[in-house]
Amino acid sequence: MLQDHPLQQLFWECTLRCNLHCRHCGSDCKTQSGRLDMPKEDFLKVLDSVARKVDPHQVFVVVSGGEPLMREDIEDCCAAIYGKGFPWGMVTNGLYLTEERLQGLLRAGMHSITISLDGLEADHNWMRGNTQSFLRVDNAISMLVRVSRISFDIVTCVTRRNYPKLQELKEYLIAKGVGRWRIFTVFPVGRAAKDPMMRLSNEEFKGVFEFIRTTRREGRIQLDYGCEGFLGNYEGEVRDHLYTCQAGVTIGSVLVDGSISACTSIRSDFHQGNIYDDDFMEVWEQRYYPYRNREWMHKDDCADCNYFRYCQGNGMHLRDGEGKLLLCHIKRLTKTLTSDAK
C-alpha cells in the first residue's frame, strides 16, 4: 500500500456536452447530455476542501469534458479557480476556440491548453465527424503559437487510417511552429470498442513506438507517447519518464455527477465517493485503496508476468468494471516480436 499520495493534479469534468461526435470517444458524449453541467459553486467547494490540506499552488486543475467550451460560463469558472490560487489548464477539441474566447481564458489565468488533432484535414474531419473541425484546429494552433506565456501541446489519436500519414502530420506541426506533441493509441472503451478502424494491428502498434523513437532522436519536435501503459524495452525512449499509473496516487478527479475518481480516462466505476455526500480530501486521504495497492491485479494475465513489478497491472483505465485487463501493451509488443522472429 502506497503511503505517499500527494495530490498534484485534479481533473474537473465540468460538462458531458460536446460539439462533435468523435469515433473514438470513450465517454460517448453528446450535444445534449442527459446530465446537467456541474455548477461551478459545487466544484469550488471541492477546491476549498483541497486548500484546507495542501497549498493550492501545488495542485494543477485540468478542466475537461465533454467539451469545456460548450459552457458559456467557462471563463468565469476558470477565473474563480485561479482566484482560489489553483493553476489550471484545459483540454479542448478547439472547435469553439476563437480569438475572443482565447483572450478570455488568458485573462482567467490559463496556464496550459491541449488541443486534439487526429490527422490532416480529411483524416481529422473523418475522425471528428465535422467538416470544419480541421480548419478550426488549424486556426487555434496559429493563435496559440503567438502566445508565449502559456504552454500548449497537440494530442493525436493514432488509428488505422492516420497511421500511414504520421510523417506528414509531423511535418505539418513543425511547419506550424508546434513544439510539443503527444500520441496515444485507442483502448477498447466507448465508441472505439466497436470500430475496427480504431484498432491498430500489432505491427502498426509497434510502428507507432518506432516512429516516436525516431522523431525524438531527430529533435525537431518534442514527441511523447501518452501515459497509456507499460512498454517494456521502449520505456525511457518514447517519453520523458518511465511508466507509472498515477491515477489515485497523485491524480484525482471530480466527474460531472459529483463522483470522486482519478484519471478521467477511467470509464469503469472505480469511484471512491461523491462530493455531494463526502468531503473530497477526506476521501483522498482515507480511500483509493484499489489505486494504491495493485496486488489485486496480480491475477489472470498478470499472475505470472515478469513485468508486473514495473507495470503494476497497467493503467486503471484499462480495467473493466470487474477489474479484468482490457489491453496489455507489452503482450501486443511481444506478439509482434514473436511474429518478426518467424
Side-chain angles (χ1 to χ4, degrees):
M1 183 74 174
L2 285 173
Q3 298 302 314
D4 295 327
H5 40 81
L7 180 64
Q8 297 175 351
Q9 196 171 58
L10 179 61
F11 283 85
W12 179 32
E13 187 182 61
C14 67
T15 182
L16 280 183
R17 292 183 294 142
C18 191
N19 46 18
L20 294 175
H21 188 81
C22 304
R23 291 173 176 265
H24 66 309
C25 183
S27 51
D28 199 25
C29 298
K30 299 175 175 64
T31 303
Q32 296 297 325
S33 172
R35 176 72 62 177
L36 295 176
D37 297 350
M38 178 179 286
K40 73 175 181 180
E41 293 77 14
D42 296 351
F43 183 67
L44 294 178
K45 291 178 182 177
V46 172
L47 297 185
D48 290 338
S49 171
V50 174
R52 285 193 289 269
K53 298 288 186 178
V54 298
D55 180 0
H57 297 90
Q58 302 303 313
V59 180
F60 194 88
V61 175
V62 181
V63 182
S64 69
E67 169 51 49
L69 293 177
M70 289 288 284
R71 290 187 62 139
E72 295 181 356
D73 68 340
I74 197 63
E75 292 87 349
D76 291 338
C77 293
C78 294
I81 292 170
Y82 191 57
K84 288 186 176 291
F86 291 84
W88 67 271
M90 177 180 289
V91 180
T92 175
N93 60 40
L95 193 68
Y96 285 176
L97 190 63
T98 62
E99 182 66 38
E100 180 181 3
R101 298 212 75 178
L102 174 59
Q103 293 304 317
L105 294 170
L106 292 171
R107 287 193 296 271
M110 182 168 66
H111 283 54
S112 70
I113 187 168
T114 293
I115 305 285
S116 299
L117 178 64
D118 298 313
L120 298 177
E121 188 165 10
D123 295 331
H124 178 78
N125 291 345
W126 169 85
M127 182 73 135
R128 299 283 163 170
N130 185 300
T131 58
Q132 295 300 307
S133 183
F134 177 83
L135 292 177
R136 297 287 183 86
V137 172
D138 180 79
N139 183 61
I141 294 173
S142 295
M143 292 188 294
L144 289 169
V145 296
R146 297 194 296 267
V147 180
S148 59
R149 67 180 186 271
I150 64 169
S151 63
F152 86 95
D153 66 348
I154 300 299
V155 63
T156 297
C157 173
V158 182
T159 68
R160 301 207 75 176
R161 175 162 172 151
N162 66 13
Y163 170 76
K165 305 168 189 174
L166 288 177
Q167 185 67 30
E168 295 175 55
L169 181 57
K170 177 176 72 175
E171 296 301 330
Y172 161 80
L173 293 173
I174 292 172
K176 290 289 289 186
V178 172
R180 296 190 66 88
W181 183 23
R182 274 184 296 140
I183 279 177
F184 70 97
T185 47
V186 168
F187 55 98
V189 172
R191 296 175 197 152
K194 302 175 183 178
D195 191 337
M197 286 298 290
M198 299 297 106
R199 180 80 169 180
L200 298 173
S201 68
N202 288 336
E203 290 72 22
E204 291 167 335
F205 190 68
K206 179 186 176 185
V208 169
F209 304 114
E210 292 293 328
F211 173 77
I212 296 173
R213 182 163 61 183
T214 299
T215 299
R216 286 172 66 87
R217 289 173 177 173
E218 290 173 353
R220 299 166 63 214
I221 187 171
Q222 178 63 42
L223 176 59
D224 299 281
Y225 186 62
C227 52
E228 290 295 311
F230 178 72
L231 304 173
N233 291 336
Y234 286 107
E235 289 295 330
E237 294 199 74
V238 296
R239 53 192 164 209
D240 291 341
H241 57 86
L242 299 179
Y243 174 76
T244 59
C245 179
Q246 291 297 301
V249 180
T250 62
I251 299 172
S253 72
V254 175
L255 305 185
V256 73
D257 64 353
S259 294
I260 298 172
S261 188
C263 170
T264 50
S265 292
I266 301 171
R267 306 319 306 182
S268 298
D269 185 359
F270 289 102
H271 307 332
Q272 300 297 296
N274 193 289
I275 65 168
Y276 297 112
D277 301 314
D278 306 291
D279 178 80
F280 177 85
M281 282 306 290
E282 287 185 8
V283 172
W284 180 258
E285 292 178 341
Q286 303 299 328
R287 303 185 197 178
Y288 284 89
Y289 179 83
Y291 294 87
R292 297 169 186 169
N293 187 339
R294 301 296 186 92
E295 282 303 311
W296 66 270
M297 297 182 178
H298 209 175
K299 60 183 180 180
D300 302 327
D301 289 345
C302 297
D304 300 316
C305 181
N306 294 328
Y307 290 105
F308 186 82
R309 61 175 173 160
Y310 307 110
C311 174
Q312 291 291 296
N314 230 1
M316 285 290 290
H317 67 292
L318 299 173
R319 298 277 167 173
D320 67 14
E322 297 178 350
K324 294 181 179 179
L325 186 63
L326 298 171
L327 173 66
C328 174
H329 291 67
I330 195 66
K331 182 178 288 186
R332 293 200 72 190
L333 291 170
T334 302
K335 284 182 179 178
T336 306
L337 292 172
T338 302
S339 177
D340 291 346
K342 293 178 179 179

